[in-house]
Amino acid sequence: MLTKTKPYQLTQSQKMMVFILSMCLYGLSNMFTELVPSLQLGPIELSIDAFAFIPLALCMLFHPLYAAIGASTGELIFGELMLGQFGGIGEVEKFILFALGMAIGGMIVRNPQSKSQVAIGAIAGYGIFLVIATLVDILKVVIGVEEFEAVPGLAESIFVVEGVEFLTDLIFSGTLFALLPTLYLVPRLYGKIEPLLGMKPRNNKMNYPIKEIITPKFIGVAIVLSIMAFIFEALSESDIELLVWEPEFVEVYGASFIWIIIGVAAICSVAIILFLLKKGKETNINEDMNKSV
């Protein structure tokens, strides 16, 4: 049953604060994941694709949509543009799919103190992102946009390769960098981090049936976004190189230049977060003064 409670709402300035916080935290973490080498165990490659627990936790604690879009934006700015490895129009695919998955994960959780809801939201959010991304990669080969034959003479091997990669990412990254940290952080941060930004916690007594979340409109939007992601990825596989930004930082200035960029990004991120905390504190003071009047 749906309990009649006042829906969780944020002002436009608060939504922007959530967007910026998610952009800075996840964007900065993405700079480090881009530099961590992968581990090859025979045919299986283990790598840190993303610290997905950061946007997942923020989507569950704050506004799912703005936290998700902020995280995807942070990855583009910090993890791609600032490191000089922006692949152009093809990056739109991951932007859309990652934001979609994180937003769904946050929407599923109605009670951030419920570990079962948090676990389901974390796995569902990251899993949906991986599922759609895998389907997009397979469709590119099936339609003929991209050539791929892992086993010579056996075009169907794409299903095996992509299936193994999906399971590896879901089990390895999904458990270590999505499920477990999110399951630990969300219940402990709930009610503690929101006041620092001058916000009230999400109502943890809201209980929605699944049909209130997965509506026909929501499914339609998800399908449209998935199709858009495929189109952008297909265009990136053509000879059209649109908005590509790949300056040779390392070749010109050496590997140490990357750490300078990370340092600058970290300083900027810390300054922005401190500003948000200061603004949140001022908001709390104003609210206390208004209550006392």
Side-chain angles (χ1 to χ4, degrees), residues 1-2 11 24 59 74 76 128 136 147 163 166 187 207 213 220 225 245 251-252 285 287 290:
M1 296 296 294
L2 175 62
T11 63
C24 291
C59 287
L76 286 183
I128 288 172
V136 168
E147 295 183 2
F166 164 76
N207 182 24
I213 302 174
L225 290 176
W245 167 255
E251 288 78 1
V252 176
I285 294 175
E287 289 182 354
N290 292 332

Side-chain angles (χ1 to χ4, degrees), residues 57-255:
L58 294 175
C59 287
M60 294 174 187
L61 293 171
F62 297 104
H63 196 293
L65 179 60
Y66 286 86
I69 296 177
S72 290
T73 303
E75 180 176 359
L76 286 183
I77 295 176
F78 289 81
E80 304 294 338
L81 287 172
M82 293 188 69
L83 291 181
Q85 51 186 25
F86 184 70
I89 196 171
E91 301 294 344
V92 178
E93 178 221 3
K94 188 174 182 181
F95 180 96
I96 294 175
L97 298 185
F98 191 77
L100 179 62
M102 297 301 103
I104 293 175
M107 292 170 61
I108 290 175
V109 178
R110 296 298 176 173
N111 180 5
Q113 290 183 314
S114 171
K115 290 188 176 182
S116 60
Q117 288 189 29
V118 172
I120 293 173
I123 289 297
Y126 192 67
I128 288 172
F129 159 64
L130 290 179
V131 167
I132 303 178
T134 300
L135 291 177
V136 168
D137 290 339
I138 292 176
L139 282 175
K140 287 190 301 181
V141 177
V142 172
I143 295 177
V145 176
E146 180 182 3
E147 295 183 2
F148 183 94
E149 282 194 23
V151 179
L154 185 61
E156 293 79 4
S157 61
I158 178 63
F159 294 99
V160 177
V161 173
E162 291 293 340
V164 171
E165 184 176 349
F166 164 76
L167 291 175
T168 302
D169 287 341
L170 184 62
I171 294 173
F172 178 70
S173 296
T175 301
L176 296 180
F177 305 110
L179 174 60
L180 295 180
T182 306
L183 193 58
Y184 176 82
L185 290 173
V186 172
R188 287 166 175 78
L189 292 177
Y190 176 76
K192 299 180 180 68
I193 188 174
E194 299 91 345
L196 296 177
L197 298 175
M199 306 177 192
K200 294 181 179 180
R202 288 175 63 179
N203 194 320
N204 66 345
K205 296 180 181 179
M206 299 175 69
N207 182 24
Y208 286 86
I210 193 66
K211 65 180 180 180
E212 295 289 336
I213 302 174
I214 310 299
T215 61
K217 180 180 178 180
F218 177 80
I219 295 175
V221 172
I223 292 174
V224 170
L225 290 176
S226 300
I227 294 174
M228 289 176 59
F230 171 75
I231 293 174
F232 282 114
E233 180 63 15
L235 288 174
S236 70
E237 295 294 337
S238 63
D239 294 331
I240 302 175
E241 293 188 358
L242 185 62
L243 302 176
V244 176
W245 167 255
E246 294 181 346
E248 299 178 349
F249 289 145
V250 177
E251 288 78 1
V252 176
Y253 302 105

